[in-house]
Amino acid sequence: MIPVAFDYLRPTSVDEAVAALAEGGEDAKVLAGGQSLIPVLRLRLSAPSVLVDLGGVAQLRGVREEGDALVIGAMTTHDEVASSPLVQRYAPLLSRMAATIGDRQVRHRGTLGGSLAHADPAADLPAAAAALEARYVLAGPSGRRVVPAADFAVDLFTTALADDEVLAEVQVPKVEGWGSHYEKFHRVVQAWAIVGVAAMVRRNDGAIESARVTLTNMGPTALRATALEQALAGCAAERAAIEEACAVAAEGTSPIDDLTASAEYRRHLARVLAGRAVAAAAGV
């Protein structure tokens, strides 16, 4: 199907992009890598009057260090995130998760900011951002503001971004001394995760001192498995003890029933995948 007609703008700075969105109003859409938006346009599920392409904004690309955090431009591709030595060193969970997205073509076109702003609950990267306690820098007419990952995605395909704001960069606190792992279950390698579990674990003297666990596709947004995190605190770093703790992995979730899986099967997957992810992160 052919998309409806729209005006196409390609700004070269963040300020130009913000001005274009402000002028276009709620009928304007941002084009990042296009891996989610273009299919929606072709199916006419979205009919913007203005398309603002961020591909020409060079300042939105790249990875750099700023003190105790990495700053990743929103237009940095999944492949660039996965292959960045800085991300591999200080946020290996994000690097590994980016490397599992779609296929090579998708990873070379899709962007970190595009995935996060699209806020699909089946996407991998929102779970990584939540586990890493990342911060989102949003640029708008009044300047920039910072939103914690926990407050960015507010509902299904809905974020804290205003109509005239651009996700400019993501601040990821450096993590060292933590193990991390991501497990996801999907039908084929390019498909969305039916369920995914991201785990970060810090060990101390044979026990789990602290854990962060986030769930993909177990609700309208990526979810922190708080009941599981509490159960893992002080848990022996042994596979049997971890699997027992993971019995509560699905508590507080609201998975859907659809053609790929029932809600109950998703809860089962969350428990199983959590056991695998936490055990791998703990090195057992």
Side-chain angles (χ1 to χ4, degrees), residues 130-131 133 178 198-200 208-215 223-235 245 248-249 278:
E133 298 183 346
W178 290 70
M200 294 177 57
I208 295 176
E209 180 179 67
S210 184
R212 301 178 195 167
V213 183
T214 54
L215 307 175
L223 301 174
R224 285 285 290 264
T226 54
L228 176 53
E229 292 175 348
Q230 294 168 5
L232 289 169
C235 174
V248 300
V278 173

Side-chain angles (χ1 to χ4, degrees), residues 23-97:
E23 184 176 350
E26 63 181 14
D27 288 333
K29 283 283 188 181
V30 169
L31 174 66
Q35 301 305 291
S36 298
L37 180 59
I38 289 176
V40 170
L41 293 177
R42 293 186 64 185
L43 291 171
R44 296 200 176 192
L45 297 175
S46 180
S49 60
V50 179
L51 202 61
V52 181
D53 184 353
L54 300 182
V57 186
Q59 67 194 102
L60 294 180
R61 296 186 180 275
V63 182
R64 67 182 189 275
E65 293 182 76
E66 279 191 8
D68 61 356
L70 298 180
V71 178
I72 307 175
M75 287 295 289
T76 306
T77 67
H78 304 319
D79 180 70
E80 290 167 339
V81 170
S83 60
S84 165
L86 286 173
V87 180
Q88 291 172 354
R89 176 178 178 182
Y90 293 116
L93 176 65
L94 181 59
S95 173
R96 295 191 194 104
M97 290 176 73

